Amino acid sequence: MKRRHFFFFSGGLAIAGLGYLSQNIKTQTHPLPTNADRLLEPPNFRFVSIADSGTGSKSQYDVAGAMKGYYDQNPYPLVVMAGDNIYNNGEIEKVEAVFERPYQPLLDRGVRFQACLGNHDIRTDNGNPQVAYPGFNMKGRYYSFHEENIQFFALDTNYETDWKSQLTWLENELSRSQAAWKIVFGHHQIYASGHYGYNEFLAPKLTPLFAQYGVQLYINGHEHHYERTHPLRGTTYITCGCAAGLRPVGRSQWTAYSASRLGFAAYEVYGDRMIVQAIATDGTVFDRGIVKFN
């Protein structure tokens, strides 16, 4: 599933299903609240997301330092980890070097990390040691949890997983959810403009469920860049696999913003909107967008 770079070339379609995408992608723009508005109205909940983090490299520490800097100004209780938590082969004996030490300042303040499994994580015992590791707070290979008026759904998006059981579980969970905000996260991209691009395996499995049950946000890694899409059938897709390393990224017809830049994504959830910011290692906000409640 390598990317067909800038996949819609002149003279024809570059991937099967682009006609379907063209009919269903709606580009929406919404005015962002002013800084004054945001000061008057604190968010109901705040969290951040990272992915492809577990290297123990200087780059990982730089991003972790920026996460701590953001916490000092905007405290948050939750970090969503969208997979590849331990490079290169998911060896749990590395967890101190690639997780506990880099994020110790946040862990010391009680910040909780909620992880899912990436393709590197399942190379050791199919990822089971990570599922059992208390610091990743995984209730299984796929699971859900609530925060305020949000329900999060963590997926195992590896191709080898039991997709029949997982999709049955996901539909049941989504159909029963009474949460105002539904956020799904998994390691692999669905819409992205980097090395892998549009995911022909995952898209037909997941996007119809997202549309049917009103999932507003999908968070992923796997692609080592940052990217925010326009809302696609009501769902915004955030790629944030830039927590320790980078690859080049382009743009696609779904792209609202993309950058090959180290950093993390920060989210402020209000009653009727969610503010998404991409924050670099120097604390610079290099993207800011809004997800409207639907």
Side-chain angles (χ1 to χ4, degrees), residues 58-81:
K58 180 183 182 299
S59 295
Q60 183 186 8
Y61 274 89
D62 289 345
V63 173
M67 292 166 64
K68 169 59 166 56
Y70 179 74
Y71 177 93
D72 290 341
Q73 298 298 318
N74 304 279
Y76 53 88
L78 173 67
V79 176
V80 166
M81 294 181 73

Side-chain angles (χ1 to χ4, degrees), residues 54-57 60-61 92-102:
T55 64
S57 64
Q60 183 186 8
Y61 274 89
I92 198 64
E93 60 269 20
K94 292 183 176 179
V95 74
E96 181 180 359
V98 305
F99 174 70
E100 294 174 359
R101 286 205 296 266

Side-chain angles (χ1 to χ4, degrees), residues 123-178:
R123 291 180 178 180
T124 295
D125 193 17
N126 202 28
N128 291 322
Q130 290 195 40
V131 175
Y133 171 64
F136 289 161
N137 291 290
M138 297 174 67
K139 302 175 184 178
R141 304 187 73 83
Y142 47 89
Y143 62 98
S144 72
F145 61 96
H146 290 81
E147 295 286 353
E148 300 293 335
N149 60 343
I150 310 164
Q151 186 168 0
F152 291 85
F153 306 82
L155 300 182
D156 177 2
T157 58
N158 289 290
Y159 308 122
E160 302 86 350
T161 196
D162 181 352
W163 277 102
K164 182 177 180 181
S165 296
Q166 181 169 216
L167 289 174
T168 298
W169 169 85
L170 180 60
E171 182 160 20
N172 287 338
E173 287 286 304
L174 287 172
S175 67
R176 291 197 302 260
S177 178
Q178 300 299 308

